Amino acid sequence: MPDEATWSDYYEANEGRAPRDQLLDVLARFAEPGNAVDLGCGAGIDTLAMLDRGWTVVAIDAEPEAIERVRRRAAERPSLETQLSPMEDVDLPPADLVWASYSLFFCDPARFPDVWARIQAAVRPGGRFAGELLGDHDTWAAMPERTAMTRAEAEALFDGWDVERFEEEENDGEACSGPKHWHLFHVIAQAPD
Ligand SMILES: C[S@@+](CC[C@H](N)C(=O)[O-])C[C@H]1O[C@@H](n2cnc3c(N)ncnc32)[C@H](O)[C@@H]1O
């Protein structure tokens, strides 16, 4: 998190939010619940939404407070596993869904190709990836520790996949750290069978 804001500030600020629309969208595309990875799960609001709908979830985050919050929120449900790990180092289990909501752009850019290859390998044939990628016009794109890309680069990540949703968002807005310019790609894509 940039500037003075901490992940704790982000978790507090988001505590009352609803599950993300894009999560509900991708879940509705499955005939039945399966197993998901919530990569960069934060405080676990989306993890809980998946558990509530019958999914088994591996929730992964690099921040101890995130893992503490998700475990508290989910109250020791057996269908939840948590892993405290940077996404750059984690072994992803095979999954019907990899959900990476507002997290992938915190990946070390030098490690992103490997992380992306592991995400693609983890998603089962016919399974899905959903989440956000950071566009090159975003304020954070200038930060050397963030992974940002052009629209063409984002689209190329899904070569051979069935892209079910690809929405480009660009506007001036807010982050926990204050005002910023947002440029995001919201993606849902299905892996080939
Ligand atoms: C903006 S929050 C998004 C949290 C949640 N997915 C959501 O949509 O509210 C980004 C999350 O990614 C986690 N994160 C940042 N860098 C990470 C990394 N390299 N590996 C794993 N998690 C990371 C942060 O700890 C934080 O919980």
Side-chain angles (χ1 to χ4, degrees):
M1 182 63 64
D3 307 328
E4 320 76 49
T6 64
W7 285 124
S8 196
D9 295 331
Y10 176 86
Y11 304 143
E12 267 318 303
N14 281 269
E15 191 54 35
R17 79 162 169 82
R20 297 199 186 279
D21 287 346
Q22 182 160 251
L23 177 69
L24 302 182
D25 180 344
V26 70
L27 294 182
R29 294 170 191 266
F30 288 87
E32 56 191 30
N35 77 302
V37 170
D38 190 347
L39 190 58
C41 60
I45 292 166
D46 295 335
T47 298
L48 185 65
M50 289 188 269
L51 294 170
D52 281 346
R53 287 161 178 77
W55 284 70
T56 297
V57 183
V58 178
I60 299 167
D61 203 285
E63 279 293 312
E65 183 179 342
I67 299 301
E68 283 160 22
R69 284 183 181 251
V70 73
R71 295 206 71 84
R72 218 166 31 237
R73 191 181 304 283
E76 302 300 329
R77 297 200 200 186
S79 47
L80 171 68
E81 182 188 320
T82 54
Q83 289 193 33
L84 174 64
S85 172
M87 64 180 85
E88 292 86 343
D89 297 335
V90 78
D91 282 329
L92 297 175
D96 299 303
L97 170 65
V98 173
W99 170 244
S101 167
Y102 292 86
S103 57
L104 270 186
F105 35 86
F106 296 103
C107 181
D108 175 353
R111 309 281 302 278
F112 182 78
D114 174 56
V115 170
W116 185 249
R118 280 185 285 123
I119 289 172
Q120 286 191 305
V123 176
R124 290 197 178 94
R128 290 178 171 85
F129 164 86
E132 276 68 36
L133 298 161
L134 194 70
D136 57 329
H137 304 159
D138 195 282
T139 307
W140 291 348
M143 299 171 78
E145 69 277 20
R146 297 286 149 85
T147 295
M149 58 195 78
T150 63
R151 181 180 177 121
E153 288 168 336
E155 286 173 340
L157 294 176
F158 300 97
D159 279 352
W161 289 49
D162 179 12
V163 178
E164 298 174 313
R165 179 172 173 172
F166 193 104
E167 287 175 12
E168 184 170 3
E169 176 189 351
E170 185 164 359
N171 52 47
D172 291 326
E174 294 282 331
C176 266
S177 50
K180 72 180 284 285
H181 187 73
W182 283 104
H183 183 206
L184 294 167
F185 307 111
H186 303 276
V187 185
I188 297 175
Q190 185 173 29
D193 274 323

